[in-house]
Amino acid sequence: MLKPKSTPTRELVNLDGVWRFAIDTRVDPEPWKGLLTTPLEAAVPASYNDLFTDAEIRDHVGWVYYQRPVRVPRGWGDERILLRFDAATHAARVYVNDALVGEHIGGYTPFDIDLTDVVSAGEEFRLTVAVSGDLSNETIPPGKIEVGIDGRRKQVYFHDFYNYAGLARSVWLYSVPLTRITDITVVTDFDGSTGTVDYKVATSWEREVRVRLADASGTVVAEASGTTGTLEIPDVTLWRPGAAYLYELTAEMVEAGVVLDSYPVSVGVRTVAVRGHEFLINGEPFYFTGFGKHEDLAIRGKGHDNAFLVHDFQLLEWTGANSFRTSHYPYAEEVLDFADRHGIVVIDETAAVGLNMGVVGGMSGTPPFPTFSEQYAGAATQAAHAQHIRELIARDKNHPSVVMWSIANEPASNEEGALEYFTPLVALARELDPTRPLTYSLVMFATFQNDLIIDLFDVVSMNRYYGWYVATGDLKSAELYLQGDIQGWVDRTGKPILMSEYGADTQPGVHSVWDQVWTEEYQVHYLEMNHRVFDRFPQFVGEQVWNFADFATTNGLHRVEGNKKGVFTRDRKPKAAAWALRKRWRGLDGRKPGSEGTAETDGQK
Ligand code: GCB
């Protein structure tokens, strides 16, 4: 899927700003048929939940409406006119004036609506978008709506982060030529100093296609024609973790010497593979350091914010992190573009979080009813999950930073039905992208003895909280549990093993000379204990701490102002653990994890 871009043949208008806003219980039944009768306005992009002081809006179940006037540029008479939502969480219905023009389900992937037949160049129309944050067994992530003792509908879900909803990413009106490029796919490789870029260009009509590849200085290094082919780059500069290098591939559709459409994509030449228990980037063993993150900010909720984007990447570099996982849903595309440009490695995760009734059973892990049943994650959920995988790979397949797909976070992989649920989804992901390894993050009670699906996947990603949820405050026992757990996975699988979550809630400013939970010292000692164990296993390919920053959680949890496992606070102040990680990951304490080499004497760039 091509993102809206300004090219010699395409134009775009950004529709971000302040839109009229209302919840469905406070407007007429068909509010799109006129101006929204509301005193409220909402910022776009932003989740709507924390914008207002009204609790009824924050936890609203049902539709909300956003509305604004839009004028089509007058020069677009001979173009196709498209509307792009980078995300509408979790479902949207789009109206132009009085008419429904399109719908989409899935809160973290973009969608287009073709308005060519319903709007006119130079004219203004009323755009109304109904957005629903509701989760059910037909959405990913799944959830269910319960009616409370007071008759109120309440959203229930099985992940801890707050269910922010709304238009959290940008909205665009854009033009494309009538005869146009509809998709571009690139797959890269290299042999010695020669790089190769296999490309495929899809078009709306059969026309001549030309492709050229320019290096970072703009010099054209390879050219080809045809909808598929291979470009060769002599003396290639590879895209490497920590040393990004991007070429630009421009595809053109041509008729009688006239360029009908032109579209550029960034290309990083790199390979990814799993060999035995190693994770290879460009044929070299790679050790992931970094975090599970969230899109989560005060007031904006999951609203994308470029200032935080820049600052978060600065903090990644400051800690020496080389990677992160897009826990627990695909992030804004701007984030992946930034990672491509700055050499940060990404594990790209679907929004399939909470496929686990065992979580409701607490530490016993005993589900109140089976997870993989029609009552919860059944055929409809699986179909939504498949569609989500299609949309994720369509959007992110060309990003060099993305080195692995995470198909789910903490599914009930130990429960009956897991294999039947995941087998077709894994097959689908492999068919759509044969080049990237697959993983899923393992919940604590999915053990090496009872997990049913690991054979489908390439990398074992463990979420483990020994010393926090198990052996709380007892790091000596925790160390033994962790050692035995990892050893079990090593013996069972022989695959690369990654710790995709480990962490301890920490209130900044709380201290102790003893190992007491919630103190800054405990978080540091907890991480040190984990690292001691990881370093004993050559099969270990990485460590991603839970979490980069503190984040908002759902109302029904016993947490104080959210999840405090961040090594940074929600406003990005370092806790003691951030300094400890910086030491380890920058090699300042003697050895960089995953390296056999010596200490970096000066970690500061
Ligand atoms: C987990 C989940 C993550 C939670 C975390 C926690 O296992 O994957 O979403 O936030 O535990 O802190 O409880």
Side-chain angles (χ1 to χ4, degrees):
M1 185 181 207
L2 303 179
K3 82 187 244 196
K5 276 186 189 170
S6 163
T7 83
T9 55
R10 297 169 175 232
E11 288 174 21
L12 76 162
V13 176
N14 181 269
L15 300 182
D16 296 351
V18 182
W19 297 37
R20 284 167 176 272
F21 180 86
I23 59 174
D24 58 1
T25 46
R26 298 188 193 165
V27 281
D28 299 336
E30 295 185 318
W32 56 90
K33 292 201 166 159
L35 277 190
L36 276 186
T37 50
T38 170
L40 300 177
E41 295 184 271
V44 176
S47 305
Y48 65 77
N49 312 75
D50 290 355
L51 295 180
F52 308 103
T53 51
D54 186 339
E56 205 182 316
I57 301 178
R58 184 165 201 257
D59 291 313
H60 181 64
V61 176
W63 295 94
V64 302
Y65 295 96
Y66 288 84
Q67 190 181 65
R68 63 162 285 164
V70 178
R71 183 172 295 282
V72 182
R74 63 184 175 167
W76 289 9
D78 292 327
E79 312 291 319
R80 289 209 84 83
I81 299 163
L82 302 173
L83 196 56
R84 162 71 56 101
F85 292 87
D86 284 350
T89 315
H90 297 279
R93 291 184 185 150
V94 180
Y95 303 86
V96 165
N97 299 324
D98 291 358
L100 176 72
V101 292
E103 315 184 48
H104 182 259
I105 297 178
Y108 302 102
T109 43
F111 59 98
D112 276 344
I113 297 178
D114 193 331
L115 301 185
T116 316
D117 297 336
V118 294
V119 301
S120 302
E123 289 185 4
E124 189 174 275
F125 64 91
R126 188 177 63 251
L127 174 63
T128 310
V129 190
V131 182
S132 163
D134 297 1
L135 298 172
S136 70
N137 64 351
E138 295 183 17
T139 60
I140 287 291
K144 61 181 177 156
I145 291 166
E146 285 178 353
V147 178
I149 191 166
D150 58 353
R152 240 177 343 125
R153 297 195 322 138
K154 278 177 70 177
Q155 178 69 63
V156 177
Y157 45 90
F158 304 105
H159 52 77
D160 73 339
F161 62 92
Y162 187 80
N163 181 38
Y164 282 113
L167 296 177
R169 298 179 190 161
S170 288
V171 184
W172 309 87
L173 186 73
Y174 71 110
S175 74
V176 295
L178 298 178
T179 305
R180 66 192 182 285
I181 295 164
T182 53
D183 198 16
I184 299 175
T185 309
V186 294
V187 174
T188 63
D189 201 351
F190 65 94
D191 185 8
S193 61
T194 306
T196 54
V197 181
D198 291 341
Y199 72 87
K200 202 185 304 170
V201 179
T203 57
S204 63
W205 295 96
E206 241 176 72
R207 289 286 185 285
E208 186 191 338
V209 168
R210 291 195 307 225
V211 167
R212 62 172 187 274
L213 191 76
D215 66 14
S217 73
T219 307
V220 174
V221 293
E223 285 180 287
S225 58
T227 52
T228 60
T230 300
L231 297 160
E232 282 202 359
I233 314 166
D235 278 328
V236 67
T237 305
L238 297 179
W239 187 97
R240 294 178 194 280
Y245 187 92
L246 294 175
Y247 292 87
E248 186 167 83
L249 178 146
T250 304
E252 288 178 340
M253 256 179 113
V254 186
E255 186 174 52
V258 177
V259 175
L260 302 174
D261 194 13
S262 164
Y263 192 91
V265 291
S266 296
V267 178
V269 179
R270 59 108 184 91
T271 60
V272 181
V274 165
R275 185 180 63 198
H277 61 71
E278 293 176 314
F279 192 98
L280 306 178
I281 299 183
N282 299 332
E284 289 164 15
F286 178 70
Y287 192 92
F288 294 80
T289 55
F291 303 94
K293 287 187 93 248
H294 262 303
E295 290 188 319
D296 173 89
L297 295 171
I299 316 298
R300 300 167 187 80
K302 297 205 172 304
H304 176 71
D305 185 300
N306 281 324
F308 273 90
L309 168 69
V310 171
H311 192 61
D312 281 4
F313 273 74
Q314 283 283 302
L315 294 180
L316 290 176
E317 189 188 323
W318 181 87
T319 47
N322 61 19
S323 69
F324 62 89
R325 175 171 61 124
T326 69
S327 42
H328 296 307
Y329 37 81
Y331 291 177
E333 219 177 328
E334 289 89 337
V335 179
L336 297 182
D337 288 339
F338 204 89
D340 288 346
R341 292 198 298 274
H342 294 271
I344 292 287
V345 169
V346 177
I347 299 174
D348 204 353
E349 182 158 277
T350 70
V353 53
L355 289 167
N356 202 325
M357 280 298 113
V359 173
V360 188
M363 274 301 109
S364 75
T366 311
F369 55 82
T371 298
F372 300 104
S373 58
E374 285 314 310
Q375 209 176 344
Y376 192 58
T381 322
Q382 192 191 36
H385 199 159
Q387 179 57 19
H388 177 57
I389 289 173
R390 278 186 209 102
E391 293 183 17
L392 170 66
I393 295 181
R395 190 194 73 163
D396 292 349
K397 62 187 173 186
N398 291 332
H399 287 285
S401 57
V402 174
V403 298
M404 179 153 67
W405 306 111
S406 170
I407 300 299
N409 182 66
E410 300 196 342
S413 59
N414 52 320
E415 271 190 58
E416 204 179 309
L419 191 62
E420 292 73 10
Y421 181 93
F422 279 101
T423 300
L425 297 178
V426 166
L428 175 69
R430 293 208 191 278
E431 179 196 325
L432 295 170
D433 180 8
T435 71
R436 289 180 178 86
L438 300 180
T439 195
Y440 63 104
S441 280
L442 276 147
V443 68
M444 282 278 272
F445 33 82
T447 64
F448 61 89
Q449 292 109 328
N450 67 16
D451 172 272
L452 300 169
I453 65 171
I454 193 64
D455 292 348
L456 300 172
F457 293 85
D458 305 299
V459 173
V460 180
S461 296
M462 303 172 70
N463 291 357
R464 293 297 186 260
Y465 289 91
Y466 295 112
W468 186 255
Y469 290 124
V470 172
T472 313
D474 175 2
L475 293 177
K476 284 204 173 77
S477 306
E479 184 162 349
L480 295 174
Y481 284 129
L482 180 62
Q483 172 83 24
D485 196 343
I486 297 173
Q487 188 63 54
W489 285 100
V490 166
D491 296 343
R492 173 173 168 186
T493 68
K495 294 177 196 275
I497 298 182
L498 171 79
M499 192 57 71
S500 47
E501 283 184 24
Y502 60 115
D505 282 88
T506 303
Q507 180 62 34
V510 176
H511 297 284
S512 175
V513 290
W514 303 293
D515 268 340
Q516 288 190 316
V517 292
W518 290 95
T519 62
E520 293 199 43
E521 289 80 5
Y522 188 76
Q523 192 181 28
V524 170
H525 295 159
Y526 169 96
L527 295 176
E528 282 171 356
M529 178 278 289
N530 273 269
H531 297 152
R532 226 172 14 249
V533 179
F534 303 167
D535 289 346
R536 293 181 198 135
F537 289 96
Q539 297 82 355
F540 236 69
V541 298
E543 52 200 52
Q544 291 188 330
V545 176
W546 192 255
N547 189 288
F548 173 74
D550 296 342
F551 59 90
T553 51
T554 180
N555 301 342
L557 281 179
H558 304 103
R559 297 215 198 264
V560 183
E561 226 204 348
N563 189 311
K564 289 280 201 301
K565 294 193 186 69
V567 306
F568 294 98
T569 60
R570 202 180 190 202
D571 61 355
R572 281 35 179 183
K573 303 259 175 30
K575 300 178 190 173
W579 290 95
L581 287 173
R582 177 177 153 82
K583 245 176 146 185
R584 173 172 167 85
W585 290 346
R586 301 195 72 134
L588 304 179
D589 60 354
R591 175 181 165 272
K592 268 184 136 176
S595 75
E596 283 153 27
T598 49
E600 237 181 53
T601 44
D602 178 18
Q604 191 74 55
K605 275 189 204 164

